[in-house]
Amino acid sequence: DEATRRFGGLVAVNSVSFEVEAGEILGLIGPNGAGKTTMFNLITGALPLDQGRITFINQDITRRPQRQIARAGIARTFQHVKLRPHMTLLDTVLLGTYGRTSSGFLRGALRLDRAEERRAQAEAMRQLDRVGLADRAFELAGNLPLGNQRLLEIARALAADPALLVLDEPAAGLRTAEKAELARLLEALRAEGLTILLVEHDMDFVMGLVDRTVVMDFGSKLCEGAPDVVRADPRVQEAYLGGVV
């Protein structure tokens, strides 16, 4: 609500307000430099707000640290893939489960609670299967092509059992077939009832996928609504392509 973030004299996010409804895919889009990633970082706690308020399931999370926000039920991926290349896919996704276990990562790594570790491994395999990577569970993450690395990041985020999945430009750098695979996964997750906030520059990818769209430009909210309405808005056409979308 009225989220604002400044960097010196630059207002990167200027009094932006919107809601994400349960069970929808909401696209937060805009041209480069629009303030999308800054808004993303405000929502996930990576940056503090200068003004405004962020609420999640009737909780004020405005000043909470990232770890608490994650435990409240928000999981994120990153614009640039952040994986440990020499870790297996299974161990990568296991990292996402440790916030849910009582033993935590260190005890789990030391196998001090074997029953809980088995449950965590089963959950990690379930999430790998969910994104179509279960048959590669023991391969190294660094050996995957970029499209599969992004799916692996989503599996790791899903392992935290979030109510809201926030994705930062997941289609960036992907080939057409990889984008189609990603879109199918996100549609399947929505069908399961997961709420998704998609921060994206690629309008074509977003418009065929989302339920609603919020458009930012120069740090402010330009408009929001159904994809076809937003695409037809002259302000959006001007912001993206100088008048032709």
Side-chain angles (χ1 to χ4, degrees):
D1 184 35
E2 300 293 329
T4 299
R5 171 70 191 194
R6 300 181 184 87
F7 296 99
L10 172 67
V11 183
V13 173
N14 185 16
S15 297
V16 173
S17 298
F18 60 88
E19 294 184 359
V20 184
E21 298 175 4
E24 75 170 344
I25 301 179
L26 177 69
L28 178 61
I29 70 170
N32 288 327
K36 306 182 302 297
T37 294
T38 301
M39 188 70 219
F40 178 101
N41 286 328
L42 295 175
I43 293 168
T44 56
L47 286 172
L49 276 77
D50 290 321
Q51 294 171 232
R53 190 168 65 105
I54 296 174
T55 59
F56 177 64
I57 314 181
N58 299 319
Q59 301 177 66
D60 188 335
I61 61 170
T62 307
R63 302 298 172 194
R64 292 191 186 181
Q66 291 185 72
R67 185 179 297 274
Q68 286 187 19
I69 290 173
R71 285 179 177 166
I74 298 177
R76 65 167 291 176
T77 64
F78 296 87
Q79 185 173 345
H80 303 290
V81 172
K82 292 188 177 182
L83 297 172
R84 300 180 185 184
H86 301 296
M87 185 175 279
T88 66
L89 275 63
L90 179 62
D91 285 341
T92 298
V93 180
L94 267 172
L95 290 176
T97 70
Y98 285 119
R100 299 168 57 180
T101 62
S102 60
S103 61
F105 176 70
L106 181 60
R107 288 189 64 197
L110 295 174
R111 303 296 193 270
L112 296 184
D113 188 332
R114 295 180 185 276
E116 191 164 62
E117 186 67 18
R118 284 194 297 270
R119 288 194 295 271
Q121 287 189 345
E123 177 63 19
M125 281 299 297
R126 188 175 82 85
Q127 300 304 341
L128 282 172
D129 184 60
R130 206 173 177 187
V131 304
L133 293 175
D135 60 338
R136 307 183 71 172
F138 299 102
E139 294 184 26
L140 298 181
N143 293 343
L144 295 178
L146 179 59
N148 283 343
Q149 287 187 15
R150 292 206 188 276
L151 297 180
L152 178 59
E153 267 208 325
I154 291 173
R156 182 175 61 188
L158 291 172
D161 193 27
L164 173 64
L165 180 63
V166 191
L167 308 177
D168 191 4
E169 300 206 18
L174 299 191
R175 300 187 297 269
T176 301
E178 292 173 324
K179 288 182 183 180
E181 185 178 9
L182 174 61
R184 285 193 296 271
L185 171 61
L186 298 184
E187 288 170 342
L189 294 175
R190 173 178 55 193
E192 294 174 15
L194 186 64
T195 305
I196 300 171
L197 174 59
L198 185 66
V199 180
E200 187 56 70
H201 172 74
D202 186 336
M203 180 183 278
D204 288 335
F205 174 75
V206 167
M207 288 308 193
L209 177 64
V210 301
D211 299 290
R212 291 188 305 120
T213 308
V214 173
V215 186
M216 291 183 65
D217 193 28
F218 295 110
S220 298
K221 185 172 80 171
L222 202 60
C223 65
E224 71 174 290
D228 55 345
V229 174
V230 166
R231 187 190 285 274
D233 191 307
R235 295 170 297 173
V236 176
Q237 296 177 9
E238 183 65 33
Y240 262 90
L241 294 173
V244 180
V245 175

